Amino acid sequence: MSTTEMPSAPDFELERSAMRHLADAQMNVELDTGDMILNLGPQHPATHGTLRLVVRLDGERVIAADPVIGYMHRGYEKLTEFRTYPQITTLINRIDWLSSFANEVPFVHAAEQLMGIEAPARAQYIRTILTELSRIATFVLFLGEMGLQVGALTPAFYGFRDREHVLNLIEGATGGRFHPNFNRIGGLKDDLPWGWVSETRQVMQLVLDSCDQFEDLVVGNEIFLSRTRGIGIIPGDIGTAYGVSGSNLRASGVDWDLRRDGVPYLAYPDLDFKVWTHAAGDSFARYWVRLQETRESVRMVLQLLDGLPAGPVMAKVPRIIKVPEGEAWVETENPLGQMGYYIVSKGATGPFRVKIRSASFSNVSILPWLLRGVYVPDVVTILASLYFILGDIDR
Amino acid sequence: MGLIDKGRTPKPLTWLLNYSRKYSLWMFQWGLACCAIEMGAALASPRYDMMRLGVIPFPASPRQADLVVISGTVTDKMAPAIRRLYEQMPDPKYVISMGSCANCGGPYWDSYSVTKGVDQIIPVDIYVPGCPPRPEALLQAIVMLQAQIQNEGIGNDQLQKRWRGEPVVIDDPHTAPVVLGPKPEPTAVPVV
């Protein structure tokens, strides 16, 4: 007699749960929409030139962003090896094309350091004035452009209007509206023209007024606030780790400005100015800090005009410039951030090697971290608020 | 447009067509480098205001544009994109090359990564010299282009082809012949 065991009761509960899971899985497969790859640029109005951004989207949310650079790579570091020092200042005007004059200053300083020349006090003051003027020209355009990127066309007109005033001044002093190429090793090409100082005072008043206008028009605007407040927050430590510098870093609460904290250069040690910071670190903070810095620059220009010393604008310099053997590193606070040149000289009329540290390259390197998890429309405001120049990224 | 296709448009009609075309140029802005800011000043600044010349600078895509302004340094990495978007524009189309870089390479004439002139990849109607040119120079270029459009005869063989969107072959002795527009069909090789 065989004993047949009854089969145990099937575990209906387990089976039902498994079926539920299967159904869920199938539903997920059916409802699943694959990630979408969105390609912004290289020709796109929101990328300020030719930055290409490959963005992976889940619905409206960015899950990964990859900046593709190199569309504006012009080979500066190689070209400098084939040019003489006076020729190089022509080239490096065009790295950050919005603030051309400020680009020349660190390079000329490095060359002067190697040659053991110091520009006269009047030249230093005029250099400082022109640097601050190009900072105003850059920031005023930003103040308008940022409005454009959140959908308001009018601030852009104001931005260009004020920029024209400042460009007129730069043209009056240097002869070049856009790329002055005014610095010489050992000083400046020319002195200021007659009547320039009083005209500058008038224009500075105009700029101050228009800063108030921007404050009314843009900063107080509810749409602008909701598009920028809390968007694209860079914490101070992460910004520092990525090498973000300039106003972008100061908007994250890091109180660091090479004009005050770095090796003293130009006439900045004589000036009384405040370094503005904002604790929030979002797009709005970056706008606000640049607005305050524009006003601060106006204050600095007025101080410089008051204290403008008399004297020559050019030191004694040999006719053919040969820089003695050596290496020099000079960094300055440019409108977009920290900019530096590392020059290696072998005693010839041109440098042996030049390394250019430009601000925008590091500022953009934070994008993959920063854009993760934001919505697509916010990508545009974040890009606009970081304010980079493609020539400054790709060089 | 049967008359235009045959190249036998009456003169007053040609005049009227060209007159209307030249004051409604939809301009596709290709801002590349420094010149883009000066182009922006010409477009958006109240001091220059290009729109009063009948130029509309905001087409949604190159497919709706009549005119492209290449402003700035053209690099070898960018060149294929320029060529591709140029080919997307409908005929007749015009090109303004703005600034030394787009004209001939400019200060980067010996750089390893810069295309020495945008005319190596697309045909250019007006060259604007300067580094960068002032906004007034761009306005002058627009005026010159408008004069050119006004004087275009539609009977001209090459222009007819541009109107019809047929391929135009530019036979430059220095370079390989450039074929613009749709590629001509390969002619049948006679079997011997």
Side-chain angles (χ1 to χ4, degrees):
Chain A
M1 203 176 159
S2 61
T3 53
T4 48
E5 285 181 21
M6 282 287 286
S8 57
D11 192 346
F12 287 118
E13 191 47 46
L14 192 70
E15 199 173 313
R16 276 166 60 197
S17 133
M19 278 168 69
R20 266 207 310 273
H21 280 292
L22 258 176
D24 280 356
Q26 193 180 356
M27 188 80 89
N28 279 345
V29 169
E30 281 168 8
L31 289 181
D32 186 32
T33 51
D35 297 340
M36 178 186 160
I37 306 268
L38 180 69
N39 182 42
L40 289 171
Q43 163 60 24
H44 190 269
T47 59
H48 291 266
T50 53
L51 178 73
R52 182 173 161 215
L53 207 59
V54 180
V55 184
R56 203 140 56 87
L57 299 176
D58 179 15
E60 188 81 348
R61 210 172 260 278
V62 175
I63 48 179
D66 184 22
V68 183
I69 62 170
Y71 284 96
M72 203 26 69
H73 177 66
R74 297 172 285 187
Y76 272 102
E77 294 187 3
K78 195 69 191 165
L79 285 180
T80 50
E81 294 171 17
F82 298 98
R83 303 276 202 273
T84 63
Y85 285 94
Q87 285 173 338
I88 289 170
T89 50
T90 320
L91 273 186
I92 58 179
N93 264 310
R94 291 155 176 81
I95 291 181
D96 162 16
W97 47 69
L98 282 182
S99 51
S100 316
F101 190 87
N103 292 339
E104 301 171 12
V105 172
F107 179 80
V108 171
H109 259 248
E112 283 172 355
Q113 224 176 64
L114 283 172
M115 290 177 75
I117 302 173
E118 195 164 350
R122 187 174 172 84
Q124 301 279 17
Y125 265 69
I126 298 174
R127 275 180 189 174
T128 321
I129 294 173
L130 288 171
T131 307
E132 289 307 315
L133 282 183
S134 47
R135 192 185 307 273
I136 294 170
T138 310
F139 282 175
V140 149
L141 193 60
F142 165 79
L143 298 175
E145 188 103 340
M146 182 79 187
L148 188 67
Q149 303 291 352
V150 299
L153 195 57
T154 317
F157 295 129
Y158 285 116
F160 271 109
R161 178 198 65 187
D162 301 330
R163 188 178 154 78
E164 286 297 327
H165 294 314
V166 181
L167 286 185
N168 271 356
L169 287 180
I170 295 178
E171 189 182 7
T174 67
R177 166 189 151 87
F178 218 79
H179 297 312
N181 193 21
F182 195 52
N183 273 306
R184 300 287 181 268
I185 292 172
L188 292 170
K189 181 180 168 288
D190 272 326
D191 208 338
L192 294 176
W194 188 83
W196 194 82
V197 171
S198 61
E199 198 184 327
T200 308
R201 284 185 209 278
Q202 289 170 17
V203 171
M204 289 302 107
Q205 194 52 50
L206 282 178
V207 172
L208 274 186
D209 292 348
S210 72
C211 278
D212 295 343
Q213 250 175 2
F214 277 120
E215 194 139 27
D216 286 349
L217 193 68
V218 182
V219 176
N221 188 308
E222 202 173 319
I223 299 172
F224 182 80
L225 289 178
S226 56
R227 285 293 302 274
T228 54
R229 274 261 161 98
I231 305 289
I233 297 176
I234 305 178
D237 50 342
I238 288 183
T240 320
Y242 271 99
V244 175
S245 56
S247 319
N248 292 331
L249 192 61
R250 287 193 285 277
S252 304
V254 181
D255 192 7
W256 183 67
D257 191 324
L258 280 171
R259 288 175 288 180
R260 188 193 62 192
D261 307 327
V263 180
Y265 70 103
L266 295 183
Y268 290 115
D270 307 346
L271 290 178
D272 165 39
F273 63 98
K274 178 174 161 58
V275 176
W276 289 89
T277 56
H278 196 292
D282 54 3
S283 299
F284 177 79
R286 292 191 274 276
Y287 190 90
W288 187 86
V289 164
R290 288 205 178 90
L291 181 64
Q292 302 307 327
E293 285 187 357
T294 313
R295 288 178 172 148
E296 204 60 40
S297 291
V298 170
R299 274 191 56 214
M300 286 155 89
V301 170
L302 291 177
Q303 281 179 46
L304 287 160
L305 289 177
D306 288 337
L308 194 63
V313 291
M314 192 74 191
K316 271 235 175 271
V317 178
R319 187 170 282 267
I320 293 171
I321 287 173
K322 279 194 179 175
V323 175
E325 213 164 306
E327 298 174 8
W329 160 254
V330 172
E331 55 184 357
T332 58
E333 182 74 29
N334 268 31
L336 297 181
Q338 174 199 18
M339 182 170 209
Y341 292 86
Y342 187 74
I343 300 183
V344 181
S345 174
K346 297 270 179 185
T349 51
F352 176 73
R353 173 87 170 84
V354 174
K355 165 77 182 87
I356 305 168
R357 194 271 183 209
S358 57
S360 299
F361 181 76
S362 310
N363 289 354
V364 165
S365 70
I366 202 174
L367 279 180
W369 182 88
L370 187 60
L371 291 184
R372 203 174 300 151
V374 303
Y375 289 110
V376 176
D378 294 340
V379 171
V380 176
T381 41
I382 291 171
L383 286 180
S385 71
L386 276 177
Y387 205 43
F388 46 82
I389 298 295
L390 260 291
D392 208 30
I393 296 174
D394 294 338
R395 297 189 291 271
Chain B
M1 293 292 198
L3 282 174
I4 290 174
D5 286 349
K6 289 175 191 131
R8 278 188 278 119
T9 325
K11 246 184 186 169
L13 191 56
T14 306
W15 183 90
L16 187 65
L17 259 175
N18 287 339
Y19 188 80
S20 348
R21 260 183 337 125
K22 78 172 180 180
Y23 287 131
S24 61
L25 286 169
W26 284 69
M27 176 181 138
F28 177 51
Q29 336 166 15
W30 199 305
L32 289 167
C34 333
C35 298
I37 309 293
E38 289 295 64
M39 183 173 70
L43 297 170
S45 114
R47 190 167 163 191
Y48 301 107
D49 185 19
M50 195 190 268
M51 276 196 229
R52 72 199 150 99
L53 297 176
V55 175
I56 302 133
F58 304 110
S61 89
R63 289 169 206 274
Q64 299 170 359
D66 307 306
L67 163 68
V68 59
V69 175
I70 308 283
S71 55
T73 319
V74 181
T75 55
D76 289 350
K77 192 173 179 178
M78 197 60 175
I82 291 181
R83 178 61 194 257
R84 189 165 163 194
L85 263 66
Y86 173 79
E87 282 175 355
Q88 288 179 4
M89 287 166 60
D91 285 295
K93 52 193 168 188
Y94 303 93
V95 179
I96 290 178
S97 156
M98 181 182 183
S100 300
C101 293
N103 292 347
C104 62
Y108 315 103
W109 59 276
D110 54 349
S111 169
Y112 55 83
S113 57
V114 173
T115 308
K116 314 299 181 299
V118 73
D119 50 4
Q120 291 185 4
I121 41 173
I122 56 175
V124 175
D125 289 283
I126 310 271
Y127 296 88
V128 189
C131 188
R134 296 180 66 94
E136 292 97 325
L138 186 58
L139 298 189
Q140 167 92 28
I142 296 282
V143 172
M144 282 168 73
L145 184 70
Q146 285 173 341
Q148 180 191 324
I149 293 173
Q150 179 68 74
N151 292 324
E152 265 177 7
I154 291 176
N156 182 335
D157 187 41
Q158 186 143 328
L159 273 173
Q160 263 189 68
K161 282 185 175 171
R162 273 176 92 155
W163 270 92
R164 290 200 297 261
E166 281 178 16
V168 175
V169 181
I170 296 174
D171 207 355
D172 187 344
H174 303 295
T175 55
V178 181
V179 181
L180 302 164
K183 298 276 178 293
E185 282 176 21
T187 47
V189 180
V191 183
V192 182

